[in-house]
Structures are given as structure tokens and as C-alpha cells.
Amino acid sequence: MEISRRKFLGVGAAAAASLTLDRTARADVLSGSAPGASQLAARPVGGASANGIRGVARAYDMITRQNADTLDAIIAGVNIQELDPDDQSVGLGGLPNEEGVVQLDASCMHGPTRRAGAVGALEDIATPSLVAKAVMDYTDHIMLVGAGAKKFALEMGFKEQNLLTEKSRRDWLRWKACLNPADAWLDTRSDSAGPPPTASIPFDDPLHVKFTTGTINMNAVNAGGDLSSVTTTSGLSWKLPGRVGDSPIIGAGQYCDNTVGAAGSTGRGEANIKTCGAFLIVEFMRQGMSPDEACMKTIDRVIAMTERRLLDNRGRPLFDLQFYALAKDGRFGSAAAYQGARFSVADSQGARLIPMPFRFSRADRPQMPEVRCRRA
Ligand code: GLY
């Protein structure tokens, strides 16, 4: 078993400063006292999954230059990917469910006001993070799903649009064609399928179609120590209609407690939901763990809670899962089940991608479940 640990802030004087910061910050978290000047040095900070690198830079900029609220800033950050048709993990262009319909999930929490909002299985609206915030801002509820969520979004003035881009539609058809050699869908790249039809589907993907769980989690803390969190996703590709993962579930896909910190997840939602991962990370930080430690301990808890069919014979999970955390004092951390994931951070040193601590090396990663085309 291999474990990598990223050192907080690096070496030398910066490390010495961080030790001081850690101690005073912990006192701040435990006592709830006003933060001291030394703790302000590391803030503001934004942290996100790797695909949130552009967004976390925007969020940091909004917080520092425009004095924007942390939740407004991180939602503006994730909106970049939600509105990007080339990003197949969230919003417009997200990979669809098994019927070719894009269904989106999102949730958010605002630390200073202790409010939360969420939407699940939302169709035809590209920015579910903003709809989740509207649920938080304009209703007495926390979560709206399906047709009710869409009706609410339209009433709030959100624009209805077809979210299935040409690329995502082709990938979906490719997945269908690979499903079952005995069904009526031909794999037009298979030798046995005969010549492609006139309007052939220009599949440009490799012969394997993987299930993906692309998601963005983003968290931020401002100079005064106020926190917010948001997670948005198109969920598991090719999922059953109506499936919601961890992203819209407060305490699983993201969680924020303004006295402690914020956390969130990407990867297999079904694994995380049973552990309430984001909530657990914040609770571990409340007990005094660093963000890295809290994330890794939660990875271990998820694996311990995973049923046998989703573990290989050495106890390694047959899925990916990543956690991200931010403490009130500005310390950030993360952990992944497998080596190779990266964490987006934006602070006074700029926006950058940081390799994440991991539980298992990439070389040990078992073959993940996938759909294999007949020719493969
Ligand atoms: N973590 C995203 C999902 O499982 O839907």
C-alpha cells in the first residue's frame, strides 16, 4: 500500500510559518474566537477539483478584487465549465443518461448564513449550481428534483435549452452500439456490422466506452474566514433515468460549516453517499485533523463501507473517488483513492494544480468496469 503526502506550504520559512498558522488556526476553530492577523496571511483561498482550475482562478479574483461573496464567486467559477459545451462532465454538453437525456445535479452551502440549496435530475437548464442557489435564496426548501426543479427554474427565469451536444450525442450512440451484440444497434466500426449506413455515425472514440463521473467541487474562504461550497455534475454517464449521485446531497457531495471548513467530492457518488463524505471530512477537521488527513481518513472509511462486488481481491475499489477540503484558516488539502488526481488551488501564489495524496498507486489500479465493443 502506497501513500503520498503533500506537505502544506513547502519548506523552510514557509513551513515554519505554516506550523504557527496551524496551531493558532486550530485554536480559532475550536474556540470560535476571532481570527488573528497571522491566520489572515493564508486567506483568501479557493480549492477545487482539477477541472475547476479556470473557475477557481475566477472565484479568487472575484473575492479579492470585487469583494464578492464566497458563494457567488465559486458559483461564477463553476459556471465556466457548466456553460462550456466541450466539457462533458457538467452542464451543457454533459454526458446523458441511458435514454440520451442530460440530467444534472448540484448543491451549495453558504457558510455565513448556514443556508443550503440543491437540485437533482434537472433537465434543459445549463447551470444547475445557480438553480441550487435559487432554491436556497427563494424557497423554504433545500432540494428540488426532476420536473419540479425544472418548473421552478423556468419560473425563476432560467433559459431552457437542449443540453445534448453533438459530441455527447455521438458518445451516447456509441455506448448503445457497444452494449449488446444481439440487439438491433450495429457497431458501425465493427467488421461484422457490414458497410456503415449512408448517414454513418462518425464515432471518433476508442473502442471502449467508459462510465464517467465527471464533476466539479469548489470551495472558498475569504479574508474574514467566511466559507462556501458548491458541487455540480452531469453525474454518472449512461445512468438510469432519475439516478442522482452524491453531488446534490448536502453532506455527501459538499458540506460547509463556517466555524470549521468546507469539503466536497468527485467520483463514484454511490460509494460516497453511504459515508456522507463531505460532512465527515468537516467533522474530522473539527476534531483537529488537517484537511489532507481528514480527506484520506474519509477515503479509508468509504473503502471500509464498500460492498465486496466493488472491491478487487486485494480490497482495492473498482472506482475512482476524490475528496477536497478547505479549513477556515486557509489550509487546504485533498485525497484520492488512486494516484494521478490533481487539486486546483488559487491563493496569493496564483492558480495551480497540485498532485493529490492517494491511497493506492496507479500501477495497482484494477481494470475499471467498462463497456467493450464487439470488435475489441
Ligand atoms: N460524483 C458524481 C456522481 O456520482 O454523480
Side-chain angles (χ1 to χ4, degrees):
M1 189 176 293
E2 187 178 349
I3 305 170
S4 154
R5 286 274 169 208
R6 179 179 57 76
K7 295 271 186 280
F8 174 61
L9 277 191
V11 294
S18 77
L19 291 174
T20 308
L21 181 65
D22 277 359
R23 277 196 294 274
T24 53
R26 181 169 302 175
D28 175 34
V29 168
L30 294 178
S31 69
S33 62
S38 63
Q39 294 152 35
L40 294 178
R43 300 188 306 221
V45 180
S49 45
N51 51 355
I53 184 69
R54 288 191 295 167
V56 82
R58 174 187 281 184
Y60 181 79
D61 209 50
M62 286 178 64
I63 292 168
T64 51
R65 289 175 199 261
Q66 300 164 29
N67 199 25
D69 175 79
T70 50
L71 187 55
D72 290 335
I74 58 178
I75 287 182
V78 300
N79 287 164
I80 293 175
Q81 300 309 124
E82 287 178 329
L83 294 170
D84 181 348
D86 295 327
D87 185 323
Q88 293 183 288
S89 65
V90 295
L92 175 65
L95 289 174
N97 65 20
E98 69 173 14
E99 294 180 353
V101 178
V102 181
Q103 291 189 322
L104 305 175
D105 302 332
S107 65
C108 63
M109 286 187 84
H110 186 242
T113 56
R114 303 176 213 153
R115 290 183 299 152
V119 288
L122 175 68
E123 296 179 13
D124 303 325
I125 311 288
T127 52
S129 61
L130 278 170
V131 184
K133 184 171 185 297
V135 172
M136 181 187 97
D137 284 339
Y138 297 105
T139 81
D140 186 40
H141 304 319
I142 298 276
M143 181 186 278
L144 296 178
V145 301
K150 178 174 172 182
K151 181 169 178 293
F152 167 78
L154 294 176
E155 287 168 357
M156 296 305 298
F158 285 88
K159 188 172 131 246
E160 184 173 11
Q161 66 184 112
N162 178 13
L163 302 179
L164 190 66
T165 57
E166 192 54 20
K167 173 155 176 44
S168 289
R169 185 185 68 81
R170 289 204 310 264
D171 287 352
W172 167 64
L173 287 177
R174 174 81 175 142
W175 168 77
K176 276 167 76 81
C178 289
L179 267 185
N180 178 359
D183 71 15
W185 287 93
L186 300 182
D187 170 13
T188 57
R189 282 183 27 171
S190 163
D191 293 337
S192 62
T198 316
S200 75
I201 300 160
F203 294 131
D204 38 287
D205 276 355
L207 288 171
H208 298 174
V209 181
K210 290 194 185 299
F211 292 85
T212 65
T213 47
T215 300
I216 300 180
N217 163 246
M218 194 175 295
N219 310 296
V221 60
N222 67 14
D226 282 335
L227 291 140
S228 291
S229 51
V230 64
T231 297
T232 179
T233 189
S234 54
L236 183 66
S237 58
W238 337 126
K239 59 194 173 187
L240 299 184
R243 177 264 189 192
V244 294
D246 56 339
S247 303
I249 298 181
I250 311 292
Q254 57 77 40
Y255 192 73
C256 172
D257 180 328
N258 213 45
T259 66
V260 177
S265 67
T266 59
R268 182 178 161 82
E270 281 78 358
N272 180 32
I273 288 171
K274 290 184 295 178
T275 303
C276 303
F279 178 78
L280 189 60
I281 290 165
V282 171
E283 289 308 296
F284 283 150
M285 290 196 291
R286 192 193 307 276
Q287 292 167 16
M289 283 182 213
S290 71
D292 274 346
E293 288 169 339
C295 289
M296 188 60 81
K297 200 167 165 72
T298 304
I299 288 279
D300 290 342
R301 182 73 67 84
V302 169
I303 294 170
M305 284 290 289
T306 295
E307 58 262 46
R308 276 252 29 111
R309 73 184 172 88
L310 291 168
L311 298 172
D312 76 356
N313 56 14
R314 289 169 54 190
R316 297 168 305 189
L318 297 173
F319 53 82
D320 285 310
L321 187 64
Q322 299 83 26
F323 288 122
Y324 317 88
L326 189 56
K328 184 174 178 68
D329 55 64
R331 288 172 300 149
F332 51 83
S334 61
Y338 287 101
Q339 182 182 18
R342 292 186 300 169
F343 180 36
S344 305
V345 172
D347 60 11
S348 57
Q349 298 175 44
R352 58 202 182 278
L353 285 165
I354 297 173
M356 289 170 58
F358 53 89
R359 177 49 77 210
F360 299 107
S361 74
R362 179 142 292 272
D364 281 341
R365 192 170 181 267
Q367 181 68 44
M368 301 293 176
E370 64 183 17
V371 175
R372 246 170 223 277
C373 281
R374 285 165 280 179
R375 191 168 80 168

